Amino acid sequence: MAFEPVLTRGIGELDLTDLKVYRAQGGYQALEKALRELAPGDVVQMVTDSGLRGRGGAGFPAGKKWSFLPDDGRPRYLVCNADESEPGTFKDRLLIEHHPHQLIEGIVLAAYAVQAVQAFIYLRGEFLEGYRVLQRALAQARDAGYVGRNILGSGFDLEIVVHRGAGAYICGEETGLLSSLQGGRGEPRLKPPFPAVAGLYGMPTVVNNVETLSCVPHIVARGPEWFRSIGPETSPGPKIFSVSGHVVRPGNYELPMGVPLAELIFEHAGGLRPGRRVKAVLPGGGSSPALTADHLDVPLDFDSVAQAGSMLGSGAVMVLDDTTCIVKAAYVLARFFAAESCGQCTPCREGTSWVARILGRIEAGQGRPEDLEVLKSLPGQMAGRTICPFSDASVGFLSSTLIHFEDEYLAHIERGACQVREVRSA
Amino acid sequence: MSGERVSLTIDGRAVQVPPGTLVLDAARQAGVEIPVFCSHDQLDPVAVCRICLVEVEGSRKLVPACSERVREGMVVRTDTPQVAEARKSVLEFLLINHPLDCPVCDKGGECDLQDLTYQYGPALSRLADAKMRKPKAVDLGPFIVLDEERCILCRRCTRFDHQVAQERTLVVGQRAHEALITTAEGVPYASVFSGNTIELCPVGALTSKFYRFRARPWDLVRVDEICHGCPVGCHIQLHFRANVEGARLERVVSRPFEPIDDGWLCDRGRFNYGFVQSPERIAQPLVRPLGAPRGTLVPTSWEEAFRRVVGRLQEVLATQGPQGVGFIGGGRLTNEEAYLLQRLARQVVGTENVDHRVAGEAAASLDVAPGRITDLDRAAVILVVGAHPGQSAPVVDLRIRRAAARQGALLLTLGPVDPELRVPHQFLPAAPGHLADRLEALAQSLAGGGEGVPPRVAQELHEREGLLVALWDGREAAAGRALAAFLQTWQAQGREARLLVVGDQANSRGAEAAGLRPDLLPGYRLAADPEARRQAGLAPEPAAPGLSTQAMLEHAVAGRLGFLYLVGANLVETFPDRALATAALESEAFVVVQDLFLTETARLADVVLPAAPFTARAGHLTNLEGRVQATGPRSTDPAAGLPVEAWTDGQIFEHLGEALQGRPLVAGAGELATALAAAGLGSGTFAGALPVALLHEASDGSPTPSGSGEGLVAAPLPTIHGGGGTSRFDRAYGERRPLAAVVYLNPEDAQRWGVVPGDRVGLEAGDGVVEAEVQVTRRVMAGVLGVPRGVPGLAWNRLTGAGRVRVRGRLLEEVG
Ligand SMILES: Cc1cc2nc3c(=O)[nH]c(=O)nc-3n(C[C@H](O)[C@H](O)[C@H](O)COP(=O)(O)O)c2cc1C
Ligand code: SF4
Ligand code: SF4
Ligand code: SF4
Ligand code: FES
């Protein structure tokens, strides 16, 4: 059975930002059905049964997260994580700019399911177009009675507020996001307590990614079994892969979870440029350890990618061909992390900048033999020892390439120059 | 919950601790030391520094001991190679960008980074790149310099500012490796608690402007003391350094004492110490030459000075009798010295004219529901009457902030000016002289009535179960009576009540308990009680009823009091009626002033006796909750290097006593201790308190303008950095303390008088004019002019002593 796009269906052909168009495509029917026929708990159950796992990076089962909220009478909040800042990731932006009503419907459904009193969309600050689209769509949805007081006569109220971030990657981490949303510094905090117990303003809060929430209307409309029928048992459903790097057709590809890496690169993204070979692939954005040409048959789902030694993360597949200087790639990523650490934890704050300085020096041909020793020890000193996984993420690519491509680092240090130039000119 | 225990093992040692204990504290209990930087027992854990990582069985990752709570059966290891490596690694990270200027760093020798590096750190640096540079010697606030390069971003300072002080000035700026400590909007860090961050800082990033480059910790001689800055009585340690000229007091640090200070000090207590070695200290006794006008003083010997004092005293006794002699002051003395002064007055001179009250207050305690500072921790309601705790009992204010912000206490303030409390509260305006009316209404509201009490407040007061703690500034006798009645009503409803009275001076309460009031003998026994008098060795009837401070001043002006002896009392500056104080000092009376500095008052004296500072004496102080605390041992007069011949106040009294009666004032230290114990001032005990019946207007020096009419009523505001003596003559402190000659007006009044914030105005009261800048704030109720006390250049007590105050337009226009 051929896979039909679900989340991106109609994008590029229809103006789905228009409420009428969205409705003509069956939009808001899931919401109508839920408010008419389903109790909040039924919606939670459906999402649990669907096996939907969070698309923001960690792959945590959405239904399970929703059922963690303590039932203690405190107000609850729903927050949509639209901060999409992971290098290589641009799927949420697509959904926001071209399919805002699908997201709004998903938010209202999720809020209904967990009985949230208010929802927020924490939007990456640079997404100005997305902000305008969302505001327009929200106004339409409000006018049509899908958002606001007494939604569709059900007695359920929900307001959705769009909050624009101020340009920090770390605000994508959920506790950093909540702090920023409250007006504090965007800094992750110790967990537990998890946001489900003490989130926004200390209240029980659900944080979900844009893509996660965009799946919800479809699960409600077509049923959990349908969702489960797509992709592997433990990571079911459709998934948008943001493919970038040295492929002929970079872009967003919605495919079933578990699509093999090779199929994504060669059948969907147009393969590599003539004569080029895959050198490394980051399957889950800048935070993910590199896979190599040996891993092309890995199915892209949470568990399989983890088994291969990396992570699916947000599903941002960055392809590097054999013209890529691994040291330079590591340096570019290291600079990003050195600038984006929130700076709380000693290993992360100091480690990220140290790594970047060393890599910068090696890349510039000033490496020393001892540098490799230090570089090899730093990931161990930084990973697993901080408040949030940023620190681990910052050395993912470095540690994997120190294993798979150690010779390139060595060559830089010994010869003071890059090997890859020879490949390029070959 | 008390009995519940969780069992765990740490490095193989079994411990049992209450549930919720941090692994760090459990380890301490097991005798296992875990290094920390960011963790602090008064601050919420953030677990950012990562030096405290330990292994916990079953956990894949290392766990921060400072934030992890114990679990039953937990197995913790701190002695593994992995933990050792993690510590070393964190230290390596902290050091890569650290400037390593230990040789010139104030913290060198007492720096956690140094110590832990020595203990756990790497021996060599693997850094091959240039260190990050950050700003050095950043001027953070009046007392603090920040070195960003030394900062390890442990956030103790910012967490203190947010969580303890409940202010939000100190913040982390930037991010990643560029993160640094700064202030919101770049304003100066001028919190009155700023100095605590210096002590909290585990490295030498935050340094005191006064202590910077002054000493190395190993050169310091440490003396335990009680702070003399205010009646809270925080525990401090004095650090002296000996040099060729003698000992110098180089800094004051805290000596954590949970029941009072939790380890915090205010900036007054911490930084106002330089006066002890000020070159402006009076070096020698001074006398007014016979026939010279007041204000002329020439140095003389102690012998000659005493001869003059004793001679004149005997003359006055001969002509006017003991009623012609008066003693004022004592709130700055120790309990022992206060007792001696009382004894000198009553037993030797035979007068009842003694009063420690120099600022118009009615009482330093009240015998209704006596409270302790820690009562604030469990308060459901806190009622602040007239007091400005942040200014006059600062460290107590920290507890109020905590109770209101973190423990949900309802905080009410009542008075003419809403104190700056930094935490949400409800202000109940009450005009000067009318605090009692508002308190009566509040009491009625407990029974359902209560005119003028906001319904929300009445409702809350009705609903709150549990303890109410009131904090009163001891002003307005009627307010004290009304407050007592309010507390009794509260108690009658089956709810607990406690009262704290904030005395005006550090040992006001001790002075009161030692009998430095015209109506009280030591131990709060009535001066009119013949039995008490007999036991004190006094005649059953006083020759004449004792005079209060105000009455003594009036008698001096009227020529009926020919001898006035002032002890550490700068009445010109502290008494609410400046005209009266000045007139008394300029009267025919012979005036003796015993002080450290040539204050406005001392200048007008006939004899000035140089007193030694607190460092030169030993004894006890009684804090605002009545706790009798031993001051430091007699350490040293740091002015020893200066040509100063000062005597302690006690020595002066003893000498005078002996000179007058031919035998010692007390037979010896033993008798003194017995007498104090009998007065309820035994070391380590809690003093008694003033009977409500003694709250009468006659002894209440606070004048209240009567009648309505045009004009504003001036309400004096205590100011932490203000004062009549030690702060003014402390050059370094005086230059830095944030103090401005500013008066406060309600917006309505500002409009009525046509002034805008920042205007310099003339304030007319009686026939004087005082100049000041105006600030407009809703903290001041309409009809009231808030006037800070103790600000140089602002004679506040010209405005409080002379009826209503009129604002005379903008001064520039008139003058210019
Ligand atoms: C450093 C860091 C950055 C993150 N950035 C994002 C982000 O940009 N968008 C996002 O949805 N989740 C991001 N996350 C994941 C969130 O913390 C959180 O797991 C997610 O929003 C939960 O939603 P989901 O369960 O629907 O995936 C980030 C996590 C980390 C540690
Ligand atoms: S790991 Fe890095 S980004 Fe995460 S909280 Fe710590 S310092 Fe901030
Ligand atoms: S200044 Fe000191 S206390 Fe503040 S964060 Fe830096 S090291 Fe910590
Ligand atoms: S609160 Fe009072 S006793 Fe405590 S440090 Fe400040 S001035 Fe000294
Ligand atoms: S002391 Fe535990 S992380 Fe700092």
Side-chain angles (χ1 to χ4, degrees), chain B residues 15 73 79 145 166 191 225 243 270 277 293 364 413 420 479 582 615 634 647 681 727 736 763 799:
Chain B
V15 260
D79 53 0
V145 172
Q166 293 289 329
S191 162
E225 249 301 354
N243 55 26
R270 187 183 299 275
Q277 49 222 5
T413 65
E420 268 183 298
T582 313
T615 52
R634 193 195 144 112
W647 288 24
L681 290 172
S727 60
R736 299 219 162 75
L763 299 161
L799 301 172

Side-chain angles (χ1 to χ4, degrees), chain A residues 368-390:
Chain A
R368 307 169 322 154
E370 309 88 271
D371 286 335
L372 206 55
E373 195 64 31
V374 178
L375 272 186
K376 281 182 181 168
S377 67
L378 286 179
Q381 290 178 247
M382 293 165 66
R385 293 184 178 179
T386 53
I387 290 176
C388 88
F390 177 103

Side-chain angles (χ1 to χ4, degrees), chain A residues 169-170 173 175 186-190 337 340-350 352 382 385-392 394, chain B residues 47-48 50 155 176:
Chain A
Y169 166 67
I170 197 59
E173 194 283 334
T175 56
E187 287 178 341
R189 62 156 172 78
L190 285 171
F337 288 109
E340 294 294 338
S341 160
C342 84
Q344 289 185 95
C345 315
T346 306
C348 176
R349 176 185 67 244
E350 303 297 337
T352 49
M382 293 165 66
R385 293 184 178 179
T386 53
I387 290 176
C388 88
F390 177 103
S391 193
D392 307 53
S394 75
Chain B
V48 293
R50 302 274 141 179
R155 299 168 178 233

Side-chain angles (χ1 to χ4, degrees), chain B residues 156-188:
Chain B
R156 281 185 180 182
C157 55
T158 54
R159 281 182 291 151
F160 169 80
D161 189 47
H162 297 194
Q163 295 165 14
V164 180
Q166 293 289 329
E167 302 176 19
R168 284 181 172 265
T169 313
L170 272 191
V171 295
V172 179
Q174 308 299 345
R175 65 168 183 247
H177 54 286
E178 286 171 356
L180 39 70
I181 297 300
T182 180
T183 60
E185 315 281 323
V187 299

Side-chain angles (χ1 to χ4, degrees), chain A residues 315-379:
Chain A
V317 178
M318 298 159 86
V319 181
L320 310 179
D321 71 15
D322 51 354
T323 63
T324 311
C325 169
I326 289 292
V327 176
K328 178 143 193 185
Y331 176 46
V332 169
L333 279 172
R335 271 202 325 228
F336 171 81
F337 288 109
E340 294 294 338
S341 160
C342 84
Q344 289 185 95
C345 315
T346 306
C348 176
R349 176 185 67 244
E350 303 297 337
T352 49
S353 89
W354 196 6
V355 166
R357 274 182 279 172
I358 297 174
L359 286 174
R361 208 160 26 74
I362 297 177
E363 209 270 325
Q366 325 256 285
R368 307 169 322 154
E370 309 88 271
D371 286 335
L372 206 55
E373 195 64 31
V374 178
L375 272 186
K376 281 182 181 168
S377 67
L378 286 179

Side-chain angles (χ1 to χ4, degrees), chain B residues 612-667:
Chain B
F614 67 93
T615 52
R617 69 188 186 197
H620 292 80
L621 295 180
T622 309
N623 80 346
L624 61 83
E625 54 180 350
R627 188 187 296 270
V628 180
Q629 311 196 88
T631 68
R634 193 195 144 112
S635 40
T636 174
D637 181 348
L642 304 166
V644 168
E645 295 171 33
W647 288 24
T648 68
D649 295 287
Q651 287 169 327
I652 298 174
F653 302 145
E654 284 178 338
H655 186 91
L656 277 176
E658 186 143 12
L660 284 164
Q661 67 175 6
R663 63 187 157 82
L665 206 45
V666 290

